């Protein structure tokens, strides 16, 4: 190789370097260009420099000086392109993009909330609207207006959480019946979901705070047939083909009164711990609104009749999801809630 050939080839490399470096649009492409041009093993410039010994001593001095100048200029081209590139991608520099993503937790509704929403949906289709009342309630709304005699055991300090002489934590959602009857004229069809409080021991089937869904329908000519048909229809809609039964019961604010059971979904009626070996699970209390309740709320009990019910969505959730112990619903154990979340 002559000195002229050497200088021509080195000029070619310098030209190629300018376009290669300008075309590099990422750090990876720039590194590839660096390798191609000045890489120790496979770089074009390095290969030329390795050929220097084939020149005469005099030519080698010129050629060597030219090679060093071009190498320095290519390297400074590479470096300035490098800092330009890293300045345009500040979000990426310094971040390890191969790190695993942070785990995202998906929230879900509690099974009791899901059950309440489903109950609301079914009754909404029947023309019921949602009514709400306070959890801190007067003794009058919670007991007196609901026809509890003054010496009723439920009013005892042992069963009810009193906040002061006349205000208590409601023991059921039935006071919403009174508040609704006081503020709206029949026809009335309301559903009142909410929490209630009782001084119960916390065992497999009792909790000191639990949800109830109250229902109330008042109009002219409303009868027990409406109660039974509506609640049976509800059970069919909610549980599918499950069998139901009504048992006579007693509440001070309804007459006659009945409790509705559904065949225990956990044992299919053969008896288990969840249904206390009866094969049935009680899901609600109900009855025809007592005339004294209508009178106490200022509704004409000669003209109007009504029926009401109070359901336990916790009990219903146990049936729906096969939960054997009500405490599981209140433990907030994420492993359980994750299984239920929809
Ligand atoms: N309030 C009653 C209870 O808590 C349930 C009920 C509501 C019964 C309405 C009849 C009518 O047990």
């Amino acid at each position: 190789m002559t000195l002229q050939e050497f200088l021509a080839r080195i000029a070619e490399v310098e030209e190629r370097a300018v376009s290669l470096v300008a075309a590099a649009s990422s750090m990876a492409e720039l590194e590839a260009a660096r390798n191609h041009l000045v890489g120790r093993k496979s770089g074009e410039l390095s290969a030329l420099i390795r050929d220097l010994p084939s020149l005469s001593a005099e030519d080698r001095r010129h050629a060597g000086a030219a090679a060093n100048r071009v190498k320095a200029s290519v390297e400074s081209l590479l470096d300035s392109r490098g800092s330009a590139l890293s300045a345009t991608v500040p979000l990426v520099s310094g971040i390890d993009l191969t790190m695993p993503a942070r785990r995202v937790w998906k929230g879900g509704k509690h099974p009791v909330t899901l059950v309440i929403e489903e109950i609301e949906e079914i009754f909404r289709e029947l023309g019921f609207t949602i009514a709400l009342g306070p959890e801190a309630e007067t003794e009058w709304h919670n007991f007196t207006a609901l026809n509890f005699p003054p010496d009723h055991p439920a009013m005892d300090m042992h069963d009810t959480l009193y906040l002061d002489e006349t205000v208590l934590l409601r023991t059921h959602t039935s006071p919403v019946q009174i508040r609704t009857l006081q503020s709206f004229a029949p026809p009335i069809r309301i559903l009142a979901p909410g929490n209630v409080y009782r001084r119960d021991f916390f065992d497999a089937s009792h909790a000191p705070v639990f949800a109830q869904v109250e229902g109330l329908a008042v109009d002219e000519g409303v009868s027990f047939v409406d109660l039974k048909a509506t609640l049976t229809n509800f059970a069919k809609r909610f549980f599918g083909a499950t069998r139901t039964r009504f048992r006579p019961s007693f509440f001070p604010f309804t007459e006659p009164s009945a409790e509705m059971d559904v065949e225990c979904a956990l044992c299919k009626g053969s008896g288990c711990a969840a249904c206390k070996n009866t094969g049935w699970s009680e899901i609600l209390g109900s009855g025809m609104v007592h005339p004294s309740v209508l009178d106490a709320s200022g509704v004409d009990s000669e003209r109007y009749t009504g029926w009401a019910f109070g359901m336990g969505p916790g009990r219903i959730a146990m049936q729906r999801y096969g939960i054997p112990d009500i405490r599981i619903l209140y433990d907030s154990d994420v492993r359980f809630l994750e299984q239920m979340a929809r």
Side-chain angles (χ1 to χ4, degrees), residues 168-190:
L168 44 78
L169 292 176
R170 66 180 179 190
T171 59
H172 52 179
T173 42
S174 299
V176 184
Q177 288 189 36
I178 305 300
R179 292 184 177 274
T180 305
L181 291 168
Q182 284 180 317
S183 2
F184 299 96
I188 285 170
R189 270 178 300 203
I190 56 109

Side-chain angles (χ1 to χ4, degrees), residues 171-172 174 177 198 212 214 251 253-254 285-287 308-310:
T171 59
H172 52 179
S174 299
Q177 288 189 36
R198 291 189 194 169
Q212 276 194 340
E214 192 84 9
F251 301 100
F253 39 94
T254 49
S286 65
F309 66 83

Side-chain angles (χ1 to χ4, degrees), residues 112-130:
V112 172
T113 303
L114 293 173
V115 164
I116 292 173
E117 289 181 352
E118 212 174 307
I119 295 169
E120 288 176 354
E121 193 49 43
I122 292 172
F123 280 93
R124 208 190 324 267
E125 285 178 23
L126 299 172
F128 284 69
T129 51
I130 306 296

Side-chain angles (χ1 to χ4, degrees), residues 248-275:
S249 186
F250 176 82
F251 301 100
F253 39 94
T254 49
E255 182 60 31
S257 305
E259 284 171 334
M260 188 170 82
D261 299 342
V262 295
E263 193 173 76
C264 179
L266 283 88
C267 63
K268 299 278 179 285
S270 62
C272 68
C275 62

Side-chain angles (χ1 to χ4, degrees), residues 200-217:
D200 257 326
F201 287 107
F202 203 5
D203 66 22
S205 48
H206 297 90
V209 188
F210 57 98
Q212 276 194 340
V213 179
E214 192 84 9
L216 173 70

